[in-house]
Amino acid sequence: MSWDLQSQAAQLKADHLWRELRTLDSAQGPLVQVGGRELVNFSSNDYLGLADSAELSEAMQEGVELYGAGSGSSRLVCGTMKPHAELEAALAAFKRTEAALTFSSGYAVALGTIPALVGSGDTIILDKLSHACLVDAARLSGATIRVFPHNHLEKLRKLLETAKGRVLVVTEAVFSMDGDACPLAEIVELKEHHGAWLLLDEAHAVGVIGPQGRGLTAALGLENRVELQMGTLSKALGLSGGYLAASRQVIDLLINRARSLIYSTAPPPCLAHAARAALDIVTSGEGDRRRETLHGHIRRLSPGAPGISAIVPRIMGDETRAMEASARLLESGFLIPAIRYPTVARGSARLRITASAAHQPEQIQSLLQCLAQLGLSD
Ligand SMILES: *Cc1c(COP(=O)(O)O)cnc(C)c1O
């Protein structure tokens, strides 16, 4: 087999699946500079508008002043610094768990956690729409993988009945490309009935849903019934990094076994310091105000059946159609990339519109007008 990268690229282009990086010349925010143009950004995961906030920029600077720029080594050698420990204590309190562990990304959380806890002879049962990092981690673990159709409780129950070994159910609180939630209370009942554990990825729920933005587990009062609560610091929290909140026993074992933690340099201490500040904002009255603004925008973007999350997709199906719609929106000054295979299934290409508390009501209004002109109203 030859490398022939050119024909691989040509095939992707022919299938309308070719992707390119786009460089922003400004900070993140509702208005961004791209190639000399100012665009209204409806594509970031900065749901509370914290990425470019004065509060987090100041916290980052304070972190640099106190602890310098780099962490020097991996967490187990000498890279665990006071801000990492303080952030983990704050995350455990936020998630109402005994302990929490931070990683350099949400992706690294999945890759470190799942293979550390299950392996050959065990079974992982995944929702079909689970994020790529959960799928990759399941494969890496060597456990048997079973998949149930999106949010399909009956199929999940059947798979639980026949699963072998230790059984881990994996799903998301809010699905990243559809913006809907999982039926968490029912899933918790099912996994408990079968003695399975649950890993819940709250990447898009944290900061957005639940009292103080503490996620879907908190909204439903299920914090002490979800064994593995995973999340990221890179979406509503406005920074980067990921965490796992769980029992002390789980966290201690991960410190010994999670390879993406052990064999990777600790994130810069200033980042942990700023993430701690982000948690303080998210759980404060200021966080409540930002969530209120965000949910107002969400209601206006989908008046028929307002979603619970900041993700408001317009599913177009065909890849070409989604690309064309995205290009038309770009001409009108809106940055909303088309999401295509392999991020979503073939033939379910979409515009993934995301709202932020930092958007102005006029920006929501003009997007709605533009969508209507393009025949893309909900
Ligand atoms: C973004 C995302 C991740 C990965 O988090 P990063 O911190 O960006 O690596 C994991 N799971 C879901 C559902 C996500 O949307």
Side-chain angles (χ1 to χ4, degrees):
M1 179 132 177
S2 85
W3 291 86
D4 199 3
L5 302 187
Q6 209 175 351
S7 72
Q8 292 186 46
Q11 188 60 54
L12 284 168
K13 285 174 186 167
D15 293 342
H16 304 283
L17 296 174
W18 184 248
R19 304 166 181 218
E20 282 171 4
L21 299 172
R22 177 188 285 111
T23 304
L24 269 59
D25 297 317
S26 62
Q28 285 298 335
L31 284 178
V32 292
Q33 295 285 336
V34 181
R37 285 183 70 201
E38 183 167 80
L39 300 173
V40 190
N41 185 10
F42 277 99
S43 58
S44 94
N45 301 315
D46 178 25
Y47 302 133
L48 296 180
L50 292 177
D52 184 39
S53 65
E55 292 96 323
L56 290 199
S57 298
E58 277 162 26
M60 190 80 92
Q61 279 161 11
E62 188 183 71
V64 171
E65 276 160 29
L66 289 169
Y67 304 101
S71 70
S73 85
S74 66
R75 291 289 303 274
L76 277 170
V77 178
C78 67
T80 298
M81 300 168 73
K82 199 171 162 200
H84 299 112
E86 285 176 344
L87 172 60
E88 287 168 353
L91 281 164
F94 179 69
K95 296 304 300 173
R96 308 286 196 261
T97 55
E98 285 174 8
L101 188 62
T102 53
F103 291 69
S104 53
S105 69
Y107 197 108
V109 174
L111 241 56
T113 300
I114 294 179
L117 297 174
V118 291
S120 163
D122 298 326
T123 308
I124 297 174
I125 308 180
L126 284 158
D127 185 286
K128 172 89 177 129
L129 296 188
S130 294
H131 190 266
C133 70
L134 303 170
V135 176
D136 294 354
R139 288 185 181 143
L140 187 63
S141 76
T144 301
I145 300 176
R146 297 275 180 259
V147 175
F148 59 100
H150 180 48
N151 282 347
H152 198 305
L153 292 167
E154 193 46 35
K155 285 279 162 50
L156 170 60
R157 190 179 62 74
K158 289 224 169 82
L159 291 173
L160 279 164
E161 280 167 2
T162 54
K164 304 262 189 318
R166 281 170 297 196
V167 181
L168 179 63
V169 176
V170 174
T171 192
E172 296 180 25
V174 166
F175 285 82
S176 56
M177 297 299 139
D178 292 70
D180 59 337
C182 75
L184 184 61
E186 290 81 356
I187 291 175
V188 165
E189 289 291 334
L190 275 176
K191 66 92 185 165
E192 284 178 356
H193 184 73
H194 291 89
W197 276 24
L198 174 63
L199 183 149
L200 182 71
D201 183 348
E202 295 214 88
H204 300 277
V206 158
V208 175
I209 293 176
Q212 297 180 298
R214 292 193 291 105
L216 189 61
T217 43
L220 301 175
L222 294 168
E223 288 116 315
N224 53 17
R225 292 171 68 186
V226 178
E227 290 81 5
L228 308 169
Q229 301 183 43
M230 160 181 169
T232 172
L233 309 171
S234 59
K235 282 154 188 165
L237 286 142
L239 294 162
S240 86
Y243 69 83
L244 190 86
S247 69
R248 185 76 251 167
Q249 271 192 326
V250 165
I251 298 301
D252 288 345
L253 197 66
L254 289 183
I255 291 169
N256 285 273
R257 282 212 192 131
R259 293 169 66 85
S260 60
L261 177 96
I262 299 170
Y263 299 105
S264 187
T265 298
C270 57
L271 187 55
H273 188 76
R276 170 73 204 284
L279 265 188
D280 285 345
I281 298 170
V282 163
T283 52
S284 69
E286 169 65 16
D288 287 336
R289 279 189 291 281
R290 287 179 186 247
R291 267 185 294 282
E292 213 170 288
T293 306
L294 172 64
H295 286 284
H297 293 341
I298 295 167
R299 280 192 294 277
R300 291 181 66 203
L301 283 169
S302 50
I308 57 157
S309 78
I311 304 157
V312 190
R314 292 286 193 281
I315 298 179
M316 326 267 314
D318 184 61
E319 278 76 25
T320 331
R321 258 193 83 212
M323 295 288 285
E324 277 167 14
S326 172
R328 300 275 298 278
L329 283 160
L330 191 65
E331 279 165 30
S332 309
F334 296 100
L335 181 58
I336 307 177
I339 306 286
R340 291 163 285 161
Y341 177 84
T343 307
V344 295
R346 272 185 208 277
S348 77
R350 67 198 61 190
L351 297 172
R352 178 180 182 270
I353 301 167
T354 52
S356 165
H359 283 127
Q360 297 299 316
E362 303 76 49
Q363 292 167 331
I364 306 284
Q365 195 53 40
S366 59
L367 173 63
L368 286 170
Q369 276 166 7
C370 189
L371 289 169
Q373 279 162 12
L374 297 176
L376 294 172
S377 293
D378 204 12

